[in-house]
Amino acid sequence: MEKKTVRSVERALDILLCFTTQNELTLTEISHQVGLNKSTVYRLLASLEKKGFVTKDEATEKYRLGFRVWELSAHLERVDDPAVMLLPEMERLRDILDETVTLYVRDGKERVRVQAVESKQTIRRVAPIGVRMPLNVGASGKILVAYAEPDVQEMILNDPDWPEHIDKEVFMLQLLKIRQLGYATSVEEREAGTSAIAAPILNRQGKCVAALAVSGPSGRLTPDKMEEFAPIVIDFASRMSKMVG
């Protein structure tokens, strides 16, 4: 049974979520993203601004997140939060492979980037935290599906929004191979010029709690290079699995 929600609260939250991909937005840009008229958005922004969740630059007339958001986030991190707990190991892996290391978790039919350690190389994969992406493309997405429970896999595969250009039978065969190898790779599946390799982080019950991914320019992170990196990524994911318990 679908829970009842308060429309004005949903709309205000939709406005805040606009800032997951951009630091600053105009009233027009926000209105376009949330699909509401400017007068409604303006009133909601005024309420959010009054409570400190957004702030407006009077010179540019652009809005950005306010300090109240950071006050809330200060209480979000826990010592047992994988995004916090695994950060030192992610930094070690970054230093060994010299590529960007990211951590993804599944949220419904999407994956969310919850932690990232960028490569120190001049040309590198930039990975903003909090970005949501589909599960049917990308190495980490396929890991999260391959190691998901059967009912979750069925939900994802039967999604009415499943892209027509992705053959489900081929995708399912990929999942079987991933389980056999213990890792997944992708080359320009979601983003041109980017490759990635990922491995699962499992808890004591064998449930996949996150995907550990290493990504970089496809010209540098070639299929041969990813095959060379695979044992290292799997080893780090295995160590992290013991950490999350």
Side-chain angles (χ1 to χ4, degrees):
M1 180 177 168
E2 189 176 348
K3 295 181 179 179
K4 293 183 178 180
T5 58
V6 180
R7 181 174 295 183
S8 59
V9 175
E10 282 192 335
R11 288 174 170 178
L13 292 173
D14 285 339
I15 289 174
L16 291 176
L17 289 172
C18 290
F19 295 94
T20 57
T21 56
Q22 290 177 266
N23 293 332
E24 294 184 326
L25 291 164
T26 64
L27 174 62
T28 301
E29 290 169 335
I30 296 171
S31 175
H32 177 72
Q33 286 195 37
V34 298
L36 297 171
N37 61 61
K38 289 184 182 180
S39 60
T40 300
V41 173
Y42 182 81
R43 290 196 300 272
L44 290 167
L45 282 168
S47 296
L48 290 169
E49 187 175 11
K50 182 179 179 180
K51 292 293 184 180
F53 286 98
V54 298
T55 181
K56 182 180 179 182
D57 187 324
E58 297 300 333
T60 63
E61 295 191 344
K62 289 187 176 182
Y63 292 86
R64 62 167 51 240
L65 292 176
F67 289 112
R68 186 69 66 181
V69 174
W70 309 122
E71 290 178 32
L72 287 176
S73 65
H75 300 281
L76 176 64
E77 295 183 352
R78 308 189 312 269
V79 292
D80 60 344
D81 185 340
V84 179
M85 184 194 316
L86 303 178
L87 183 57
E89 285 296 298
M90 293 175 65
E91 292 174 336
R92 285 188 59 226
L93 181 58
R94 184 272 312 274
D95 293 340
I96 291 172
L97 302 182
D98 203 13
E99 296 291 357
T100 295
V101 178
T102 51
L103 193 70
Y104 292 89
V105 298
R106 183 183 67 83
D107 183 18
K109 299 175 184 178
E110 297 177 305
R111 57 187 165 113
V112 183
R113 186 183 292 133
V114 295
Q115 188 60 278
V117 181
E118 291 185 6
S119 167
K120 296 178 181 178
Q121 299 203 54
T122 304
I123 300 176
R124 62 184 182 273
R125 173 80 169 87
V126 177
I129 295 172
V131 173
R132 289 177 172 268
M133 286 167 279
L135 289 165
N136 45 47
V137 291
S140 58
K142 289 184 286 187
I143 283 289
L144 292 171
V145 179
Y147 287 86
E149 296 86 347
D151 60 324
V152 173
Q153 289 185 347
E154 186 177 350
M155 174 195 70
I156 294 167
L157 290 167
N158 292 328
D159 183 0
D161 295 324
W162 181 274
E164 292 183 0
H165 68 278
I166 299 178
D167 189 294
K168 289 186 181 181
E169 291 187 6
V170 173
F171 185 81
M172 291 175 69
L173 289 174
Q174 286 183 332
L175 299 184
L176 290 174
K177 185 177 181 180
I178 289 167
R179 290 293 294 253
Q180 292 171 353
L181 295 174
Y183 70 94
T185 62
S186 61
V187 179
E188 299 187 339
E189 286 189 9
R190 193 191 66 83
E191 186 177 346
T194 301
S195 296
I197 176 172
I201 297 175
L202 311 173
N203 62 17
R204 291 177 183 173
Q205 291 72 43
K207 181 180 178 180
C208 182
V209 296
L212 174 68
V214 175
S215 58
S218 53
R220 190 169 66 224
L221 197 57
T222 61
D224 287 343
K225 180 61 70 173
M226 287 191 284
E227 187 175 348
E228 178 186 326
F229 283 176
I232 302 171
V233 178
I234 292 172
D235 180 59
F236 267 81
S238 177
R239 288 214 297 272
M240 292 180 185
S241 295
K242 296 175 183 176
M243 294 172 65
V244 299

